[in-house]
Amino acid sequence: MLAAYDSQLRLDAEAQGALACRLMHWYPREGVLVEAPTVPDGAGESPFLPVMTAVFAGEAGFISHGAPGRSGTPSLLREELARPGRMPALVRAAVGSVLDLAIESQAGREGAEPGGGLSGPDGDDVIRSASADQGSSSQAGAARESSPVPGGAPVRAPRRPLSTLEWKTRSHDGLTGLDEALQAEGFTRGEEESVMIGESAALAVDVALPDGVSLQRVRSVEDALALCIAAEDAFDGSAAEAPRRAADLMGRLARGHGTEAWMALAEGEVVSGGRLEPVPGTDFAGIWGGFTLEDWRGQGIYRAVTAQRARTALAHGISLIHSDSTDYSRPILERYGFVRVTGTTPFEIEFG
C-alpha cells in the first residue's frame, strides 16, 4: 500500500482542484528546479526529486515532493541532498516556483497573457538556479519582494500575496535536514497526521444519526461558507479564514472531477462535514476536511458523513479511499480495516 501511495497519490492527489499546478524536478547537484520533462544541460545521470507546486482558489499555495526512490537512485539522491546548502536551496527554489505560479494564475484570471511553455510572466525561463533564488529583490523585479517571517528568515512574498503557503513532508522519506530547512525559511511545523488507506466498501455502512440531525450535500456558496465556518470552529481556527476556504471548495466542486462535499445539520446549524475528491486515473478517492464540533462528537455523526462519502466513491466505481487523519479520525477508520501507511506533516507560512 505504501508503494501505491507513493506512485499514485502523494503528488497527483493533492494537486486535485488546483487553479494551476506544475510538476517540477529538483537536481541538487546542479542546483536547478525545472519543469518536467525538461532536463538541464549537462545534468547527465544526475538524480532528481519530483516537486509539485500548486495554487488553489482563495490564494492558497501548496508544495509537495515525490518519493526519493522515483528517481531510480534514492541513495545517491539522499546523499546529494545531505550536502551543505542543498536542502535550503531546494526550499528556496520551490517557494520561488509556487510564487511565480501564483502570479501567472492571477494574470490568467485577469485576462492577461500568462507565460507559455517554460516561460514565466516576464518571459524568463522557468529554470531557477539556487544562486538566482537567493538573489536580491532587484533580480525579482516587480514579481515579488522580501518579507520578514517569524524567526527572522526572509521569504519572498508574491506581488499578489498568497494567504498561505503549505509544504507537506512524509515520515518515510529519510530526507535529512528538510524539516530544519523549512523552519529556517519561516515555515511553521504542524502536527503529524496519519496517511490511512482502505476499501470504500468497508466505510459504506448504515449509520444511525441522532434525532434532529440530517445529511445534506453542499451545493451553494452559502452552504460552503457555513461548512467552512463550522470547520474553523472545530479546529480552533479563525472565522476570517472561512471565505477563503469556501472559495477553494466551490472551485473544486465546479471543476467536474467528481468532488462532493457533505455536511451534517442540527436545527439548521452545521455540526460535521467533509469532502470527497476522486483521483483521476486511479482507483482512489480522498476524504478531506473531515470534522465534527466538539459538543457533537461520539454520536456517530462523523461516521455517517464518512459513510456517505464512501457511498459516493462506490457510485463512481472507486474502490479505495485514502485520508490524512488526525488522532481523532484515525481510530474511526481503523475500525473499518484502514491501515496507516506513513505519516505526513504540514509546514505552513502565513503571509500578512
Side-chain angles (χ1 to χ4, degrees):
M1 283 192 175
L2 182 57
Y5 174 75
D6 276 335
S7 64
Q8 297 187 45
L9 294 176
R10 61 182 292 154
L11 291 177
D12 297 338
E14 297 192 343
Q16 297 306 312
L19 293 173
C21 60
R22 282 198 183 114
L23 176 61
M24 314 289 284
H25 285 164
W26 170 250
Y27 292 83
R29 185 179 298 164
E30 289 74 21
V32 295
L33 181 68
V34 301
E35 188 166 2
T38 303
V39 178
D41 291 340
E45 298 299 319
S46 180
F48 65 85
L49 183 73
V51 177
M52 176 68 76
T53 63
V55 175
F56 295 92
E59 299 178 335
F62 179 81
I63 304 172
S64 185
H65 58 274
R70 294 183 75 177
S71 68
T73 51
S75 60
L76 182 57
L77 175 61
R78 289 189 177 96
E79 181 182 325
E80 289 291 338
L81 284 167
R83 295 181 185 277
R86 297 286 205 272
M87 203 67 82
L90 163 63
V91 173
R92 295 186 190 110
V95 169
S97 175
V98 77
L99 297 186
D100 287 345
L101 185 62
I103 294 168
E104 292 183 30
S105 176
Q106 180 68 33
R109 291 198 298 276
E110 292 179 351
E113 204 50 52
L118 289 179
S119 293
D122 300 313
D124 28 333
D125 288 343
V126 184
I127 296 180
R128 316 182 202 291
S129 69
S131 58
D133 273 330
Q134 299 173 54
S136 66
S137 58
S138 62
Q139 280 182 296
R144 55 182 93 90
E145 58 187 12
S146 180
S147 173
V149 295
V155 66
R156 287 165 293 120
R159 181 176 56 198
R160 288 178 170 80
L162 296 172
S163 295
T164 61
L165 176 56
E166 180 187 32
W167 186 312
K168 295 194 79 170
T169 67
R170 275 75 180 183
S171 59
H172 67 287
D173 284 339
L175 296 181
T176 303
L178 178 56
D179 288 15
E180 293 80 3
L182 287 167
Q183 291 178 84
E185 288 299 312
F187 285 82
T188 300
R189 191 183 197 276
E191 293 293 325
E192 184 183 56
E193 298 178 345
S194 297
V195 178
M196 310 293 291
I197 293 179
E199 295 183 356
S200 305
L203 287 180
V205 297
D206 292 329
V207 180
L209 286 165
D211 291 342
V213 178
S214 61
L215 296 183
Q216 178 178 311
R217 184 175 170 183
V218 173
R219 297 185 183 276
S220 67
V221 173
E222 291 77 15
D223 290 345
L225 186 57
L227 179 73
C228 293
I229 289 173
E232 290 296 325
D233 187 15
F235 292 116
D236 294 323
S238 169
E241 287 292 300
R244 177 178 71 81
R245 298 190 186 280
D248 174 55
L249 176 57
M250 290 304 295
R252 293 170 184 268
L253 298 179
R255 282 181 177 78
H257 296 156
T259 300
E260 291 187 9
W262 288 81
M263 53 190 179
L265 301 176
E267 297 182 356
E269 298 295 324
V270 179
V271 298
S272 182
R275 73 180 190 274
L276 177 90
E277 295 215 20
V279 184
T282 77
D283 296 323
F284 285 92
I287 52 175
W288 298 91
F291 72 92
T292 302
L293 296 182
E294 186 173 3
D295 291 345
W296 292 88
R297 293 172 186 169
Q299 302 180 56
I301 300 174
Y302 176 79
R303 283 188 292 132
V305 172
T306 301
Q308 178 58 56
R309 290 181 286 174
R311 285 191 289 270
T312 298
L314 289 172
H316 286 286
I318 296 167
S319 59
L320 296 169
I321 296 287
H322 71 97
S323 172
D324 292 358
S325 298
T326 64
D327 289 342
Y328 169 75
S329 58
R330 174 183 171 179
I332 296 173
L333 295 178
E334 285 177 331
R335 289 177 211 155
Y336 295 96
F338 276 58
V339 297
R340 184 185 191 272
V341 297
T342 189
T344 179
T345 302
F347 289 77
E348 189 172 276
I349 287 176
E350 293 187 1
F351 294 107

